[in-house]
Amino acid sequence: MSLLSVPHPQGRWLTDVRLVVLIRRVDRKALGKTFKGDAPLPRTVTFPAAVVLALWCAASALVVDALAGPLERVEFEGASQSLLRGTVVPGDRIQGYLARPDGAGPFPAVVGLHGCAGMHETAKQKLANDLVASGYVTLLVDSFATRGIDHLCTYSAVNISRRMSDAYGALAFLARQSFVDMRRVAAVGFSQGGSIALLLTETRSSGPFVVPGDFRFRAAVAFYPPCGPGRLRPVIPTLILIGAADDWTPSEDCSRKVASWGAEGSPIELVVYPRAHHGFYYPHLQPGMTLFGHWVEYNGDAADNAGVRMLQFLNRHLN
């Protein structure tokens, strides 16, 4: 079994044998050192479970020994949207969940965007724990609660522009907090929220959305997002994490899309996890189940590795 596979800079895929020559069959200790630094990661990586433990041990030495406390419920207005002929559409009142490190800051921050089924309490706490322990303020946006919505997996009661308004409203909320460093804010989205995160990467400004101070997102992480046609190349650093066994948002679409974007411009990283399904980051999806006609299942190895790589990516591009 190959340790990992990466594309050759000239477009040819390295085979198992040639890859082993490149990494010289490093042991777990050496592999941990390899990923502990800030060196750029390969553009596309496929990880089996065999390397997850080493990656996790390497990253554990870098994070603060702290967990997020209870998430604080907050409310804020979504960003207003300026339309043609001077029409302004106000944002909706939105609920969110805030967690922050101890101290005065200012800290870097992450805006979390849920999928079409919302975000389970255990997933909220897991994401907040992962981020706060590494020194990030975390604001998880709930686009459903104040709108009285259970899910958007079989119909669309909230259009894409409304969810983008929610994300930019969260950005404006963070700008009012003295403990947030607005030069270091990223978006992290899951599934449909991953799609919103990718849309946020397509421009360096807030576009038609009104954000005081012209603040913007500096990086984005998308867990198992749809990578269909029409997706523009990100203009800010972007990380995509997806499972090879995902039958809801196929990894092949993301692989083709990233390849079509080329190497010029802001760094884009794609990680594909063998045997991992949609929802692999969510602890409550064990055992797996069929949801809206698709198989969803937690994968501890992939989730741990994705958490490590997310933090490495954010540390590299927000510091």
Side-chain angles (χ1 to χ4, degrees):
M1 178 176 62
S2 63
L3 196 59
L4 50 84
S5 62
V6 297
H8 188 278
Q10 297 179 353
R12 299 188 303 273
W13 281 88
L14 298 172
T15 64
D16 295 353
V17 174
R18 284 181 288 170
L19 183 59
V20 167
V21 171
L22 282 182
I23 64 176
R24 291 182 294 182
R25 287 197 179 277
V26 292
D27 60 18
R28 287 183 173 181
K29 182 177 180 181
L31 187 62
K33 292 179 179 178
T34 300
F35 288 92
K36 186 174 180 179
D38 289 330
L41 296 171
R43 283 177 52 79
T44 304
V45 182
T46 301
F47 274 88
V51 301
V52 172
L53 180 59
L55 286 168
W56 179 249
C57 292
S60 295
L62 303 178
V63 300
V64 180
D65 184 18
L67 294 178
L71 293 167
E72 176 190 358
R73 190 169 69 180
V74 297
E75 288 195 4
F76 54 88
E77 301 291 337
S80 298
Q81 184 178 7
S82 297
L83 303 181
L84 298 176
R85 301 179 182 178
T87 302
V88 176
V89 178
D92 296 332
R93 189 71 176 169
I94 297 300
Q95 183 172 291
Y97 296 89
L98 181 69
R100 53 172 292 192
D102 292 332
F107 303 103
V110 165
V111 171
L113 305 168
H114 62 70
C116 70
M119 185 175 287
H120 193 275
E121 293 302 320
T122 58
K124 290 178 186 176
Q125 197 66 58
K126 173 178 170 55
L127 181 61
N129 287 344
D130 284 352
L131 292 168
V132 171
S134 291
Y136 289 89
V137 173
T138 305
L139 176 57
L140 306 179
V141 179
D142 188 339
S143 292
F144 294 171
T146 55
R147 294 181 171 119
I149 296 170
D150 292 327
H151 69 84
L152 292 179
C153 298
T154 56
Y155 65 98
S156 181
V158 178
N159 60 29
I160 294 300
S161 65
R162 285 296 186 186
R163 291 215 59 186
M164 293 187 69
S165 167
D166 299 349
Y168 282 118
L171 192 66
F173 173 86
L174 290 175
R176 298 192 293 271
Q177 314 308 315
S178 62
F179 50 83
V180 174
D181 183 350
M182 292 304 295
R183 299 168 301 173
R184 299 186 291 161
V185 182
V188 174
F190 296 81
S191 192
Q192 186 186 88
S195 179
I196 302 302
L198 290 182
L199 285 172
L200 296 172
T201 71
E202 294 181 358
T203 176
R204 294 186 185 277
S205 72
S206 58
F209 298 96
V210 181
V211 179
D214 196 30
F215 295 114
R216 59 187 176 88
F217 293 99
R218 304 292 175 150
V221 179
F223 283 76
Y224 28 89
C227 294
R231 187 75 70 185
L232 300 180
R233 192 188 196 286
V235 298
I236 60 176
T238 301
L239 171 64
I240 299 174
L241 304 158
I242 198 164
D246 195 320
D247 69 348
W248 203 335
T249 55
S251 63
E252 294 85 355
D253 291 347
C254 291
S255 296
R256 285 192 293 267
K257 183 60 67 176
V258 170
S260 72
W261 284 333
E264 297 297 323
S266 296
I268 301 171
E269 300 170 22
L270 170 65
V271 184
V272 177
Y273 295 99
R275 298 175 296 281
H277 296 270
H278 200 81
F280 66 74
Y281 186 81
Y282 297 152
H284 66 287
L285 295 179
Q286 49 182 329
M289 66 187 72
T290 298
L291 185 66
F292 302 110
H294 302 279
W295 187 257
V296 293
E297 184 177 9
Y298 174 69
N299 183 309
D301 291 333
D304 288 347
N305 180 266
V308 171
R309 292 184 68 86
M310 172 180 66
L311 293 172
Q312 290 179 329
F313 176 84
L314 294 175
N315 290 340
R316 190 161 57 253
H317 295 292
L318 296 185
N319 292 321

